[in-house]
């Protein structure tokens, strides 16, 4: 079989690596991939906005299955487009992808189906927003409605900060904004909860906790994710049942009422408040870097799982996991999430101690004349699995210390909530 993976991050490298273990796969393509996927797959440099070109390549090369990693092509309808040409695709369709593409779509669904979430209001202009913000309690959360790659969310402590947020959103900092959302601030601890769906059936696909802020102690600007650990320390049987019954099932019911189904990974971003889950956001894909902590624990053939999802018989697959703790630390270019230098060579990648439990997944890298260069903000993902989080973390630190890359930095405290207990 031939499989194609759309995307170029650590998540996609981890997916490639899992698929490589399947004895059913003859060839993997990655669109466009990175220096890490180049070791496993054939990297294909096609602009991901050019659906036509992607389709031509898939048909010309007789690729049997396409897996879409990131949200943008999903929200833009790549699944629907490829299916028109009888291509087998793993991922949600355009309508279902509104769960991530429009925060207002999700909030309205929550309202209709009583899904626990922060109280909210939708505002169409500056004046009405400010009128409300002058009399509300703080902190308050202000969000752009668009896909904003983890940005576009402001946590404001006072009216002055709120005014800046409203102005920036309506001025189009995150794309054209017809609406914004003002939400109650939920005080609790976050958890990423993953499920995998085939349109009829779904199964749980692990939990993790992400560290979104750039600085140690969870301070500083929001990023795509500086590291993660899995499982989340918050998960237990009772919470899991609440999440499934109060959040996932009503969401699927809501989608079926508008005439669609969910297929692919679903990432529920939750705030756990006094042992009760609240939905903060949905993402219609695996998390990055959560995916890098979860997939190395998977024992079942990932190709079989994807294939079963496309054929709507996920209920026939038993998904098995290694009973290990896993951590991922992301090494970033200095300056991220603001400006950073590109095209800096990274040496010593060959010195890493890598095996079934210790992985190095590339993100923003490219390979040229056998040399690896950093070209993105998040560059390398070091992952380790062990019987406890402390050992996993030590293995990662040992590997990172071999790295000769003065242009990089990482958070040394990833997993502090599960290690310093
Ligand atoms: P989002 O893009 O909606 O996931 O928001 C980004 C981050 O902002 C989340 O991961 C939370 O840390 C924080 N956040 C978003 N909404 C809320 C809320 N209602 N209460 C508290 N924190 C929030
Ligand atoms: N780790 C956060 C995300 O994938 O959106």
């Amino acid at each position: 079989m031939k499989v194609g993976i759309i995307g170029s991050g650590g998540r996609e490298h981890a997916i490639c690596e899992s698929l490589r273990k399947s004895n059913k796969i003859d060839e993997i393509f990655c669109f466009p991939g990175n220096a890490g996927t180049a070791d496993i797959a054939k990297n294909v440099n096609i602009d991901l906005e050019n659906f036509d070109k992607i389709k031509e390549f898939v048909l010309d090369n007789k690729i049997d299955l396409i897996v879409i990693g990131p949200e943008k092509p999903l929200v833009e309808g790549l699944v629907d487009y490829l299916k028109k040409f009888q291509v087998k695709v793993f991922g949600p369709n355009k309508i279902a992808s509104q769960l991530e593409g429009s925060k207002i779509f999700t909030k309205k669904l929550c309202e209709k189906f009583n899904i626990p979430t922060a109280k909210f209001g939708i505002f169409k202009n500056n004046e009405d927003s400010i009128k409300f913000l002058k009399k509300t309690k703080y902190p308050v959360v202000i969000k752009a409605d668009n896909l904003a790659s983890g940005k576009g969310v402001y946590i404001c402590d006072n009216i002055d900060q709120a005014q800046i947020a409203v102005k920036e959103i309506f001025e189009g900092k995150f794309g054209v904004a017809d609406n914004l959302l003002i939400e109650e601030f939920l005080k609790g601890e976050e958890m990423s909860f993953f499920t995998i769906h085939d349109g009829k059936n779904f199964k749980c696909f692990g939990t993790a906790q992400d560290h979104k802020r750039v600085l140690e102690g969870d301070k500083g600007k929001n990023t795509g994710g500086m590291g993660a650990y899995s499982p989340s320390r918050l998960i237990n049987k009772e919470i899991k049942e609440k999440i499934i019954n109060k959040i996932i099932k009503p969401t699927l019911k809501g989608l079926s009422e508008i005439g669609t189904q969910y297929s692919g990974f679903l990432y529920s971003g939750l705030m756990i408040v006094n042992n009760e889950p609240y939905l903060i956001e949905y993402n219609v894909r695996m998390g990055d870097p959560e995916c890098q902590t979860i997939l190395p624990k998977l024992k079942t053939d990932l190709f079989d799982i994807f294939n079963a999802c496309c054929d709507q018989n996920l209920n026939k697959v038993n998904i098995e996991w290694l009973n290990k703790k896993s951590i991922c630390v992301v090494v970033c270019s200095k300056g991220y999430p603001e400006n950073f230098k590109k095209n800096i060579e990274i040496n010593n990648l060959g010195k890493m101690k890598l095996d079934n439990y210790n992985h190095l997944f590339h993100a923003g890298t490219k390979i040229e004349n056998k040399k690896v260069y950093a070209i993105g903000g998040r560059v390398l993902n070091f992952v380790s699995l062990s019987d406890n989080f402390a050992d996993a973390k030590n293995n990662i630190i040992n590997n990172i210390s071999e790295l000769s890359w003065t242009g990089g930095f990482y958070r040394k405290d990833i997993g502090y909530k599960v290690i310093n207990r």
Side-chain angles (χ1 to χ4, degrees), residues 103 107 117-119 139-144 148-155 182-188 190 210 212-213 222 267 269-271 279-283:
K103 291 184 190 294
K107 279 296 200 185
T117 188
K119 290 194 200 79
V140 87
V141 185
I142 305 180
K143 298 183 177 180
S149 308
K151 299 168 201 130
V153 175
Y154 295 79
I155 295 172
I182 301 181
E183 273 184 31
E184 160 202 25
F185 177 81
L186 292 174
K187 199 167 174 343
E190 283 181 75
D210 185 11
K212 287 204 171 85
R213 306 286 201 97
N222 250 340
Y267 162 168
L270 306 169
M271 188 70 85
L279 181 71
I280 291 197
E281 61 160 356
Y282 272 129
N283 295 308

Side-chain angles (χ1 to χ4, degrees), residues 150-219:
K151 299 168 201 130
V153 175
Y154 295 79
I155 295 172
C156 304
D157 291 321
N158 52 52
I159 178 74
D160 296 338
Q161 291 175 358
Q163 268 169 330
I164 294 171
V166 171
K167 188 165 174 279
E168 290 190 347
I169 292 173
F170 280 128
E171 278 178 355
K173 188 163 179 188
F174 311 98
V176 179
D178 294 327
N179 301 290
L180 60 69
L181 244 109
I182 301 181
E183 273 184 31
E184 160 202 25
F185 177 81
L186 292 174
K187 199 167 174 343
E189 196 170 319
E190 283 181 75
M191 166 161 75
S192 307
F193 184 89
F194 298 93
T195 45
I196 186 164
H197 301 244
D198 73 358
K200 284 199 292 199
N201 315 285
F202 74 90
K203 297 204 172 201
C204 292
F205 207 78
T207 61
Q209 176 142 31
D210 185 11
H211 291 268
K212 287 204 171 85
R213 306 286 201 97
V214 69
L215 300 178
E216 279 161 29
D218 294 322
K219 302 216 164 61

